[in-house]
Amino acid sequence: MIRSISDLVVINLRNINIVNYAKYSSSALPRLSSEKYNIKRKNYGAIKPPDIDYFKSLLSNDRVLTEESDVLPFNIDWIKNCRGQSKVVLKPKTTEEVSQILSYCNDRKLAVCPQGGNTGLVGGSVPVFDEIVLNLSSMNKIISLDEISGALVCEAGCVLENLDNYVRDHNLIMPLDLGAKGSCHIGGNVSTNAGGLRLLRYGNLHGSILGIEAVKADGTVIDCLRTLKKDNTGYHLKHLFIGSEGTLGVVTKVAVHCPALSKSVSLGYFGVNSFEDVLELYKSAKESLGEILSAFEMADNEAISSTVENCKLSNPLEDYPFYVLIETSGSDESHDDEKLNRFLTKEMESGKIVDGTITSEPAKMKNIWNIRESIPGAGLLDGYVFKYDISIPLKNYYDIVLLLRKRMGNKVTRVYGYGHIGDGNIHINVSTPEYSKEICDMLEPYVFEEVAKVKGSISAEHGVGFRKPQFIHYSKDGTALQLMRDLKQCMDPNGILNPYKVLPDN
């Protein structure tokens, strides 16, 4: 039965900020990453009082943080898995300041950790030892918007949600949408090649980013900040910085192509009895909805239960093994409604949709999306969560969740899966009361071995960061890894940019 959601009661998580709520739900600090994962400090310089004096002369006292209490939040990732030992946070406001900072650090071999909104899940945005944190939150200006072409130019520290609100006022939309959009920065999105909820419709950032300005480790500013959709003049250098996680250069400005804002948007939330039906429903949605299909999300019962129980949300549907969110976006409401109603009628009669609710009211759509977007933070309230972000062929998409439930048994609190069916990306969460090395050893490298068996990827959209370099060989062979090392050596010969991240030592 498809029904409206006028009686749906939920907590609007935007009012409590699930990222901060989960991060600070416990006062206990995570262990130092170097101790927890047995990492040895490399031969970098140590920051000294004259270095602090230089940074204060370049910036200003209020943009050079050295007090332990001020620096601590920048040392910890939001899931409280990693903690660094940085003694200083720098907050530049201009590309020129970033250039001068990096040039100075490179000359003295002082390691640097570039940081945006610090919403990453693999430890890539926090230091491991005493790297200088280069936080770009003060570089948050919108430079220009071409309403005809849809080209937005802005600084790297702009918050994604702020950008989306800005371009919506001009009948455009940002091409990516993430659960962390209220905190994440566009520079961090680009540096990790973030995917998100609507990659199915708009593709990944390699296609949406028109141009980039970035600063190399030696302070050289690379100006590839063009707003053209076509530019075949030599190597496409912008792609070196998209997804390289700040290891090849620090992204300071971006040009993004923003699609037109859809006039007609609807969101359906459905109960489904089996994962086989989820796949059949996706196939049918592509065929029946075509160009108006903008998102197709899946969450299993345990994923939704975690949000209901931990975040005190109300589920508008009864218990089902799986839940599917389908969003449509178009320009003609009557045309879109006709296609959607035809699809719903067909799939209710087929039995693939058992129950559901559909709405086109913005407030109600936001409430439904909150159920899906709160899943990552909700699991943290169980205590500790092992998170895996993998790409798997759709025929094998859910198999690993079943394998892990069997393998982990009652040693863990929950094992659940949710993600983006439209691009083959599943997020697997394994929650426990606290971090356990025994549990970690049962999960890793087992998860990555299973991914490799079906030729999947160990990182779909979160990046490799600090947590996965030792496992990257499950997705990239030796020749590819050597080429990556060659690029790193060419771009950052002293290795000062985001060390201990992305590439393994051997």
Side-chain angles (χ1 to χ4, degrees):
M1 177 181 70
I2 305 297
R3 54 184 181 270
S4 68
I5 58 169
S6 58
D7 59 341
L8 174 59
V9 179
V10 302
I11 297 173
N12 188 335
L13 291 182
R14 296 184 192 282
N15 293 333
I16 64 172
N17 192 334
I18 190 65
V19 172
N20 290 329
Y21 181 50
K23 180 174 178 179
Y24 299 111
S25 61
S26 168
S27 60
L29 292 175
R31 287 179 62 194
L32 293 173
S33 299
S34 58
E35 297 175 357
K36 185 175 180 179
Y37 297 105
N38 193 28
I39 306 296
K40 302 298 183 184
R41 187 182 186 278
K42 295 182 180 179
N43 188 30
Y44 295 109
I47 195 162
K48 299 174 182 177
D51 302 319
I52 299 296
D53 292 340
Y54 170 78
F55 294 135
K56 287 182 177 179
S57 70
L58 175 63
L59 307 178
S60 59
N61 286 0
D62 63 322
R63 293 192 285 132
V64 180
L65 308 183
T66 56
E67 290 292 330
E68 184 177 355
S69 59
D70 294 334
V71 174
L72 181 61
F74 300 89
N75 268 316
I76 302 173
D77 68 341
W78 84 269
I79 60 172
K80 299 185 76 171
N81 178 62
C82 297
R83 177 160 67 102
Q85 305 166 55
S86 180
K87 300 297 189 292
V88 60
V89 176
L90 306 181
K91 292 189 168 187
K93 286 186 176 180
T94 67
T95 300
E96 291 70 28
E97 289 177 348
V98 173
S99 174
Q100 289 176 272
I101 290 168
L102 291 184
S103 176
Y104 181 91
C105 291
N106 191 57
D107 288 344
R108 290 154 183 81
K109 207 174 180 184
L110 296 172
V112 176
C113 176
Q115 187 180 85
N118 197 15
T119 59
L121 296 170
V122 288
S125 60
V126 291
V128 180
F129 289 96
D130 56 348
E131 301 92 274
I132 295 168
V133 174
L134 186 67
N135 184 277
L136 301 183
S137 58
S138 296
M139 296 184 65
N140 55 16
K141 295 184 181 68
I142 294 172
I143 298 168
S144 65
L145 175 64
D146 186 329
E147 296 183 40
I148 298 175
S149 69
L152 170 75
V153 181
C154 65
E155 293 180 328
C158 291
V159 173
L160 177 60
E161 188 170 45
N162 294 344
L163 293 177
D164 193 53
N165 291 337
Y166 176 81
V167 299
R168 281 176 183 269
D169 288 340
H170 300 271
N171 295 312
L172 299 168
I173 189 174
M174 289 297 286
L176 74 161
D177 187 10
L178 311 173
K181 56 182 167 283
S183 303
C184 65
H185 295 179
I186 188 65
N189 300 150
V190 171
S191 296
T192 58
N193 191 25
L197 303 169
R198 298 193 177 98
L199 188 141
L200 171 64
R201 176 68 172 268
Y202 300 117
N204 66 28
L205 288 178
H206 280 287
S208 298
I209 297 300
L210 302 171
I212 278 177
E213 177 190 84
V215 183
K216 289 173 56 183
D218 64 1
T220 302
V221 178
I222 307 298
D223 183 4
C224 295
L225 197 65
R226 302 293 185 270
T227 58
L228 306 173
K229 296 205 76 173
K230 287 186 174 181
D231 181 7
N232 277 336
T233 50
Y235 303 135
H236 287 213
L237 298 178
K238 67 180 180 181
H239 295 298
L240 287 176
F241 302 102
I242 300 173
S244 59
E245 303 184 50
T247 61
L248 300 182
V250 177
V251 174
T252 49
K253 294 187 181 78
V254 298
V256 190
H257 175 251
C258 300
L261 177 65
S262 297
K263 297 177 181 178
S264 169
V265 180
S266 295
L267 182 65
Y269 177 54
F270 309 114
V272 181
N273 274 331
S274 69
F275 184 71
E276 289 72 20
D277 284 347
V278 171
L279 291 183
E280 287 299 317
L281 202 57
Y282 173 56
K283 180 180 178 183
S284 176
K286 289 196 296 179
E287 294 171 351
S288 301
L289 301 176
E291 78 287 351
I292 67 171
L293 180 63
S294 54
F296 193 105
E297 298 287 299
M298 180 282 297
D300 64 20
N301 182 275
E302 279 289 323
I304 297 299
S305 294
S306 74
T307 67
V308 170
E309 295 170 15
N310 291 347
C311 296
K312 311 306 178 188
L313 300 183
S314 295
N315 186 354
L317 304 182
E318 296 177 1
D319 271 359
Y320 291 97
F322 296 92
Y323 297 89
V324 166
L325 281 83
I326 298 177
E327 182 189 74
T328 61
S329 305
S331 58
D332 187 327
E333 185 175 358
S334 60
H335 167 267
D336 299 346
D337 285 349
E338 182 181 349
K339 294 186 79 167
L340 183 57
N341 288 330
R342 195 159 53 235
F343 164 73
L344 294 175
T345 299
K346 172 188 172 185
E347 297 310 334
M348 288 177 65
E349 291 177 352
S350 74
K352 295 183 183 69
I353 293 177
V354 185
D355 193 6
T357 180
I358 188 166
T359 183
S360 57
E361 296 182 32
K364 294 175 181 177
M365 288 192 290
K366 188 177 292 185
N367 284 337
I368 292 178
W369 273 120
N370 272 337
I371 297 173
R372 161 63 182 87
E373 292 178 349
S374 64
I375 295 173
L380 294 174
L381 302 179
D382 281 338
Y384 185 89
V385 184
F386 295 89
K387 289 178 172 285
Y388 300 97
D389 156 59
I390 58 179
S391 284
I392 294 284
L394 285 178
K395 65 180 180 180
N396 309 110
Y397 188 89
Y398 196 70
D399 292 351
I400 193 165
V401 178
L402 302 178
L403 289 171
L404 285 175
R405 283 179 181 161
K406 182 178 180 180
R407 180 178 178 84
M408 306 311 294
N410 60 7
K411 295 179 182 292
V412 300
T413 306
R414 309 177 203 257
V415 177
Y416 52 91
Y418 61 97
H420 322 296
I421 289 287
D423 55 42
N425 176 193
I426 184 170
H427 301 294
I428 299 170
N429 285 9
V430 180
S431 66
T432 60
E434 59 184 7
Y435 175 79
S436 162
K437 189 174 187 306
E438 176 192 359
I439 298 299
C440 185
D441 290 344
M442 290 182 68
L443 291 167
E444 301 171 10
Y446 175 79
V447 169
F448 307 119
E449 290 170 346
E450 293 300 316
V451 169
K453 286 178 183 178
V454 294
K455 298 187 182 301
S457 171
I458 67 162
S459 178
E461 63 181 3
H462 293 164
V464 176
F466 167 69
R467 287 287 291 113
K468 295 184 182 179
Q470 70 271 38
F471 305 120
I472 195 173
H473 65 278
Y474 287 106
S475 293
K476 292 289 185 290
D477 70 7
T479 57
L481 287 172
Q482 186 55 52
L483 181 55
M484 291 182 196
R485 290 191 182 97
D486 293 344
L487 284 169
K488 174 69 172 176
Q489 179 63 28
C490 175
M491 301 281 283
D492 178 19
N494 287 331
I496 68 163
L497 288 178
N498 225 7
Y500 318 102
K501 318 287 175 60
V502 181
L503 291 175
D505 289 333
N506 299 305

